[in-house]
Amino acid sequence: EGIINLFPENQIGAVTISGYDTIDFPLEETPKFILDMYGSEDSASKVQSKTSGGVSTYYYEYTDDQKKELWMTKVIRKGKLFYILTINIPVKYWSGNYKNDFQETFNSFKLKK
């Protein structure tokens, strides 16, 4: 269990990885949990999900219009193991190298089976 924050040297954006091994709410409540993290009024159908080999992965993208920040969230669940990977970055920087680097980091995070 714990939280790891990764920041580029220029301090633009961040990647946060949180891991928990005691999550016990039902799998079908995961989209609501993700939306609640942001206080989002989006429908749970906006949270994409897939399950393969007993591992469920959820993806959600949220833009905070007040702070002008983009948040990408990936949640991976396997039993009581629960990992949250988030990226946040000011919307004005979400292009070019920032987008490529952050998306590469985001997509590379997987559970070993």
Side-chain angles (χ1 to χ4, degrees):
E1 290 203 24
I3 298 173
I4 298 170
N5 290 304
L6 308 168
F7 301 95
E9 287 182 14
N10 61 11
Q11 300 293 306
I12 294 174
V15 175
T16 301
I17 303 168
S18 307
Y20 308 92
D21 62 6
T22 57
I23 297 299
D24 62 356
F25 60 83
L27 197 60
E28 56 274 358
E29 289 184 25
T30 305
K32 183 182 178 326
F33 172 86
I34 294 169
L35 295 171
D36 287 349
M37 283 187 344
Y38 299 106
S40 174
E41 295 181 15
D42 283 343
S43 164
S45 64
K46 293 250 181 162
V47 179
Q48 300 170 12
S49 66
K50 69 177 183 174
T51 300
S52 176
V55 177
S56 297
T57 304
Y58 300 84
Y59 174 81
Y60 179 65
E61 195 170 298
Y62 174 75
T63 301
D64 184 325
D65 293 325
Q66 288 183 326
K67 295 181 181 178
K68 297 184 178 9
E69 291 181 331
L70 173 72
W71 290 84
M72 294 174 63
T73 302
K74 183 177 191 176
V75 169
I76 300 173
R77 285 193 69 174
K78 182 176 183 180
K80 291 186 176 188
L81 294 176
F82 189 86
Y83 296 94
I84 304 171
L85 177 68
T86 60
I87 292 175
N88 76 305
I89 188 167
V91 172
K92 68 181 181 180
Y93 293 110
W94 190 243
S95 63
N97 289 339
Y98 288 110
K99 184 175 184 176
N100 293 338
D101 291 346
F102 278 118
Q103 283 183 323
E104 189 173 314
T105 300
F106 195 74
N107 293 331
S108 69
F109 189 83
K110 295 177 177 60
L111 285 183
K112 289 185 178 182
K113 295 184 181 182

Short mmCIF file of all heavy atoms in Angstrom, two decimals, residues 27-61:
data_model
loop_
_atom_site.label_atom_id
_atom_site.label_comp_id
_atom_site.label_asym_id
_atom_site.label_seq_id
_atom_site.Cartn_x
_atom_site.Cartn_y
_atom_site.Cartn_z
N LEU A 27 -17.03 -4.97 -7.56
CA LEU A 27 -16.40 -4.55 -8.81
C LEU A 27 -17.27 -3.57 -9.59
O LEU A 27 -16.77 -2.58 -10.13
CB LEU A 27 -16.11 -5.80 -9.65
CG LEU A 27 -15.13 -5.70 -10.79
CD1 LEU A 27 -13.75 -5.29 -10.29
CD2 LEU A 27 -15.03 -7.03 -11.52
N GLU A 28 -18.57 -3.82 -9.63
CA GLU A 28 -19.47 -2.96 -10.41
C GLU A 28 -19.60 -1.55 -9.84
O GLU A 28 -20.11 -0.66 -10.50
CB GLU A 28 -20.85 -3.61 -10.58
CG GLU A 28 -21.56 -4.00 -9.33
CD GLU A 28 -21.17 -5.39 -8.81
OE1 GLU A 28 -20.36 -6.10 -9.44
OE2 GLU A 28 -21.68 -5.75 -7.73
N GLU A 29 -19.11 -1.32 -8.63
CA GLU A 29 -19.14 0.02 -8.05
C GLU A 29 -17.88 0.83 -8.39
O GLU A 29 -17.77 2.00 -8.03
CB GLU A 29 -19.31 -0.06 -6.53
CG GLU A 29 -20.69 -0.51 -6.11
CD GLU A 29 -20.89 -0.48 -4.62
OE1 GLU A 29 -20.19 0.28 -3.91
OE2 GLU A 29 -21.74 -1.26 -4.14
N THR A 30 -16.93 0.21 -9.07
CA THR A 30 -15.67 0.89 -9.40
C THR A 30 -15.88 2.14 -10.24
O THR A 30 -15.28 3.19 -9.94
CB THR A 30 -14.69 -0.09 -10.07
OG1 THR A 30 -14.52 -1.22 -9.21
CG2 THR A 30 -13.34 0.57 -10.31
N PRO A 31 -16.73 2.12 -11.30
CA PRO A 31 -16.93 3.36 -12.07
C PRO A 31 -17.44 4.51 -11.19
O PRO A 31 -16.97 5.65 -11.32
CB PRO A 31 -17.95 2.97 -13.14
CG PRO A 31 -17.71 1.51 -13.35
CD PRO A 31 -17.40 0.99 -11.95
N LYS A 32 -18.37 4.23 -10.29
CA LYS A 32 -18.89 5.27 -9.39
C LYS A 32 -17.77 5.80 -8.50
O LYS A 32 -17.66 7.00 -8.27
CB LYS A 32 -20.04 4.73 -8.56
CG LYS A 32 -20.66 5.79 -7.66
CD LYS A 32 -21.76 5.21 -6.80
CE LYS A 32 -22.39 6.19 -5.86
NZ LYS A 32 -21.61 7.23 -5.28
N PHE A 33 -16.92 4.91 -8.00
CA PHE A 33 -15.78 5.32 -7.17
C PHE A 33 -14.89 6.29 -7.95
O PHE A 33 -14.47 7.33 -7.42
CB PHE A 33 -14.98 4.09 -6.74
CG PHE A 33 -13.70 4.42 -6.05
CD1 PHE A 33 -13.67 4.65 -4.68
CD2 PHE A 33 -12.50 4.52 -6.76
CE1 PHE A 33 -12.48 4.98 -4.04
CE2 PHE A 33 -11.31 4.84 -6.12
CZ PHE A 33 -11.30 5.07 -4.76
N ILE A 34 -14.60 5.97 -9.20
CA ILE A 34 -13.74 6.83 -10.03
C ILE A 34 -14.39 8.19 -10.23
O ILE A 34 -13.74 9.23 -10.07
CB ILE A 34 -13.44 6.14 -11.37
CG1 ILE A 34 -12.60 4.89 -11.14
CG2 ILE A 34 -12.74 7.12 -12.32
CD1 ILE A 34 -12.47 3.99 -12.36
N LEU A 35 -15.66 8.22 -10.57
CA LEU A 35 -16.37 9.50 -10.78
C LEU A 35 -16.40 10.32 -9.49
O LEU A 35 -16.21 11.54 -9.53
CB LEU A 35 -17.79 9.24 -11.29
CG LEU A 35 -17.89 8.61 -12.67
CD1 LEU A 35 -19.33 8.22 -12.97
CD2 LEU A 35 -17.33 9.51 -13.74
N ASP A 36 -16.60 9.65 -8.36
CA ASP A 36 -16.64 10.35 -7.07
C ASP A 36 -15.30 10.98 -6.72
O ASP A 36 -15.26 12.00 -6.04
CB ASP A 36 -17.08 9.40 -5.96
CG ASP A 36 -18.55 9.06 -6.01
OD1 ASP A 36 -19.30 9.69 -6.78
OD2 ASP A 36 -18.96 8.11 -5.30
N MET A 37 -14.18 10.38 -7.19
CA MET A 37 -12.85 10.96 -6.91
C MET A 37 -12.77 12.39 -7.43
O MET A 37 -12.06 13.22 -6.86
CB MET A 37 -11.74 10.14 -7.60
CG MET A 37 -11.40 8.88 -6.91
SD MET A 37 -9.95 7.98 -7.56
CE MET A 37 -9.59 8.62 -9.15
N TYR A 38 -13.47 12.68 -8.51
CA TYR A 38 -13.40 14.00 -9.13
C TYR A 38 -14.64 14.84 -8.87
O TYR A 38 -14.72 15.97 -9.32
CB TYR A 38 -13.21 13.85 -10.65
CG TYR A 38 -11.93 13.14 -10.98
CD1 TYR A 38 -11.93 11.82 -11.42
CD2 TYR A 38 -10.71 13.77 -10.80
CE1 TYR A 38 -10.75 11.17 -11.70
CE2 TYR A 38 -9.52 13.12 -11.07
CZ TYR A 38 -9.55 11.81 -11.52
OH TYR A 38 -8.38 11.16 -11.79
N GLY A 39 -15.61 14.27 -8.19
CA GLY A 39 -16.87 14.98 -8.00
C GLY A 39 -17.58 15.15 -9.33
O GLY A 39 -18.34 16.09 -9.52
N SER A 40 -17.33 14.23 -10.26
CA SER A 40 -17.89 14.31 -11.60
C SER A 40 -19.34 13.88 -11.62
O SER A 40 -19.73 12.92 -10.96
CB SER A 40 -17.08 13.41 -12.55
OG SER A 40 -17.69 13.38 -13.82
N GLU A 41 -20.12 14.58 -12.41
CA GLU A 41 -21.52 14.23 -12.60
C GLU A 41 -21.71 13.41 -13.87
O GLU A 41 -22.84 13.16 -14.29
CB GLU A 41 -22.37 15.48 -12.62
CG GLU A 41 -22.35 16.21 -11.29
CD GLU A 41 -23.22 17.45 -11.26
OE1 GLU A 41 -24.06 17.63 -12.17
OE2 GLU A 41 -23.05 18.25 -10.34
N ASP A 42 -20.62 12.98 -14.50
CA ASP A 42 -20.71 12.14 -15.69
C ASP A 42 -21.43 10.84 -15.35
O ASP A 42 -21.41 10.37 -14.21
CB ASP A 42 -19.32 11.79 -16.24
CG ASP A 42 -18.68 12.93 -17.00
OD1 ASP A 42 -19.40 13.88 -17.38
OD2 ASP A 42 -17.45 12.89 -17.20
N SER A 43 -21.98 10.23 -16.37
CA SER A 43 -22.61 8.92 -16.23
C SER A 43 -21.52 7.86 -16.09
O SER A 43 -20.43 7.99 -16.66
CB SER A 43 -23.44 8.64 -17.48
OG SER A 43 -23.75 7.28 -17.58
N ALA A 44 -21.82 6.80 -15.35
CA ALA A 44 -20.87 5.70 -15.18
C ALA A 44 -20.49 5.09 -16.53
O ALA A 44 -19.42 4.48 -16.66
CB ALA A 44 -21.44 4.64 -14.25
N SER A 45 -21.32 5.28 -17.54
CA SER A 45 -21.01 4.74 -18.87
C SER A 45 -19.82 5.44 -19.51
O SER A 45 -19.23 4.94 -20.46
CB SER A 45 -22.23 4.84 -19.79
OG SER A 45 -22.56 6.19 -20.02
N LYS A 46 -19.41 6.60 -18.99
CA LYS A 46 -18.23 7.30 -19.50
C LYS A 46 -16.92 6.65 -19.04
O LYS A 46 -15.86 6.96 -19.54
CB LYS A 46 -18.25 8.77 -19.05
CG LYS A 46 -19.36 9.58 -19.65
CD LYS A 46 -18.82 10.55 -20.62
CE LYS A 46 -19.95 11.36 -21.19
NZ LYS A 46 -19.51 12.55 -21.79
N VAL A 47 -17.02 5.77 -18.05
CA VAL A 47 -15.85 5.04 -17.57
C VAL A 47 -15.74 3.77 -18.40
O VAL A 47 -16.61 2.91 -18.34
CB VAL A 47 -15.97 4.70 -16.06
CG1 VAL A 47 -14.75 3.92 -15.60
CG2 VAL A 47 -16.15 5.96 -15.24
N GLN A 48 -14.69 3.68 -19.19
CA GLN A 48 -14.48 2.49 -20.03
C GLN A 48 -13.91 1.37 -19.17
O GLN A 48 -13.14 1.63 -18.25
CB GLN A 48 -13.52 2.81 -21.16
CG GLN A 48 -13.99 3.92 -22.07
CD GLN A 48 -12.90 4.37 -23.03
OE1 GLN A 48 -11.87 3.73 -23.19
NE2 GLN A 48 -13.12 5.51 -23.66
N SER A 49 -14.28 0.13 -19.50
CA SER A 49 -13.74 -0.99 -18.72
C SER A 49 -13.58 -2.22 -19.59
O SER A 49 -14.22 -2.36 -20.63
CB SER A 49 -14.66 -1.31 -17.55
OG SER A 49 -15.91 -1.78 -18.00
N LYS A 50 -12.67 -3.07 -19.13
CA LYS A 50 -12.49 -4.39 -19.76
C LYS A 50 -11.96 -5.33 -18.70
O LYS A 50 -11.29 -4.92 -17.75
CB LYS A 50 -11.57 -4.33 -20.98
CG LYS A 50 -10.12 -4.04 -20.66
CD LYS A 50 -9.27 -4.06 -21.91
CE LYS A 50 -7.82 -3.84 -21.53
NZ LYS A 50 -6.93 -4.00 -22.65
N THR A 51 -12.28 -6.60 -18.86
CA THR A 51 -11.82 -7.62 -17.93
C THR A 51 -11.20 -8.75 -18.73
O THR A 51 -11.76 -9.19 -19.73
CB THR A 51 -12.98 -8.16 -17.07
OG1 THR A 51 -13.54 -7.07 -16.33
CG2 THR A 51 -12.51 -9.22 -16.10
N SER A 52 -10.03 -9.18 -18.27
CA SER A 52 -9.33 -10.28 -18.93
C SER A 52 -8.49 -11.01 -17.90
O SER A 52 -7.73 -10.38 -17.15
CB SER A 52 -8.44 -9.74 -20.05
OG SER A 52 -7.70 -10.77 -20.65
N GLY A 53 -8.63 -12.31 -17.84
CA GLY A 53 -7.83 -13.12 -16.93
C GLY A 53 -7.99 -12.75 -15.47
O GLY A 53 -7.04 -12.82 -14.70
N GLY A 54 -9.20 -12.32 -15.08
CA GLY A 54 -9.43 -11.96 -13.68
C GLY A 54 -8.97 -10.57 -13.29
O GLY A 54 -9.05 -10.17 -12.14
N VAL A 55 -8.46 -9.80 -14.27
CA VAL A 55 -8.01 -8.44 -14.01
C VAL A 55 -8.96 -7.48 -14.73
O VAL A 55 -9.19 -7.60 -15.93
CB VAL A 55 -6.57 -8.20 -14.51
CG1 VAL A 55 -6.16 -6.75 -14.31
CG2 VAL A 55 -5.60 -9.15 -13.83
N SER A 56 -9.53 -6.55 -13.98
CA SER A 56 -10.42 -5.55 -14.55
C SER A 56 -9.70 -4.22 -14.62
O SER A 56 -9.06 -3.80 -13.65
CB SER A 56 -11.69 -5.40 -13.71
OG SER A 56 -12.41 -6.61 -13.69
N THR A 57 -9.79 -3.58 -15.78
CA THR A 57 -9.13 -2.29 -16.00
C THR A 57 -10.19 -1.27 -16.38
O THR A 57 -11.05 -1.54 -17.22
CB THR A 57 -8.08 -2.41 -17.13
OG1 THR A 57 -7.16 -3.45 -16.80
CG2 THR A 57 -7.32 -1.11 -17.29
N TYR A 58 -10.10 -0.10 -15.75
CA TYR A 58 -11.04 0.99 -15.99
C TYR A 58 -10.26 2.21 -16.45
O TYR A 58 -9.14 2.45 -15.99
CB TYR A 58 -11.80 1.34 -14.71
CG TYR A 58 -12.60 0.18 -14.18
CD1 TYR A 58 -12.00 -0.79 -13.39
CD2 TYR A 58 -13.94 0.04 -14.50
CE1 TYR A 58 -12.72 -1.87 -12.92
CE2 TYR A 58 -14.67 -1.04 -14.03
CZ TYR A 58 -14.05 -1.98 -13.24
OH TYR A 58 -14.76 -3.05 -12.78
N TYR A 59 -10.87 2.99 -17.32
CA TYR A 59 -10.22 4.20 -17.84
C TYR A 59 -11.23 5.33 -17.85
O TYR A 59 -12.38 5.17 -18.27
CB TYR A 59 -9.72 3.95 -19.26
CG TYR A 59 -9.16 5.17 -19.92
CD1 TYR A 59 -7.86 5.60 -19.63
CD2 TYR A 59 -9.92 5.92 -20.79
CE1 TYR A 59 -7.36 6.74 -20.21
CE2 TYR A 59 -9.42 7.07 -21.37
CZ TYR A 59 -8.14 7.46 -21.08
OH TYR A 59 -7.65 8.60 -21.65
N TYR A 60 -10.78 6.49 -17.38
CA TYR A 60 -11.64 7.67 -17.36
C TYR A 60 -10.79 8.91 -17.56
O TYR A 60 -9.68 9.01 -17.03
CB TYR A 60 -12.37 7.76 -16.01
CG TYR A 60 -13.27 8.96 -15.87
CD1 TYR A 60 -14.39 9.12 -16.66
CD2 TYR A 60 -13.00 9.94 -14.93
CE1 TYR A 60 -15.22 10.23 -16.53
CE2 TYR A 60 -13.82 11.04 -14.78
CZ TYR A 60 -14.93 11.18 -15.58
OH TYR A 60 -15.75 12.27 -15.45
N GLU A 61 -11.31 9.82 -18.36
CA GLU A 61 -10.63 11.09 -18.60
C GLU A 61 -11.56 12.21 -18.16
O GLU A 61 -12.75 12.21 -18.49
CB GLU A 61 -10.33 11.22 -20.09
CG GLU A 61 -9.34 12.30 -20.41
CD GLU A 61 -8.88 12.23 -21.85
OE1 GLU A 61 -8.29 11.20 -22.24
OE2 GLU A 61 -9.11 13.21 -22.58
#
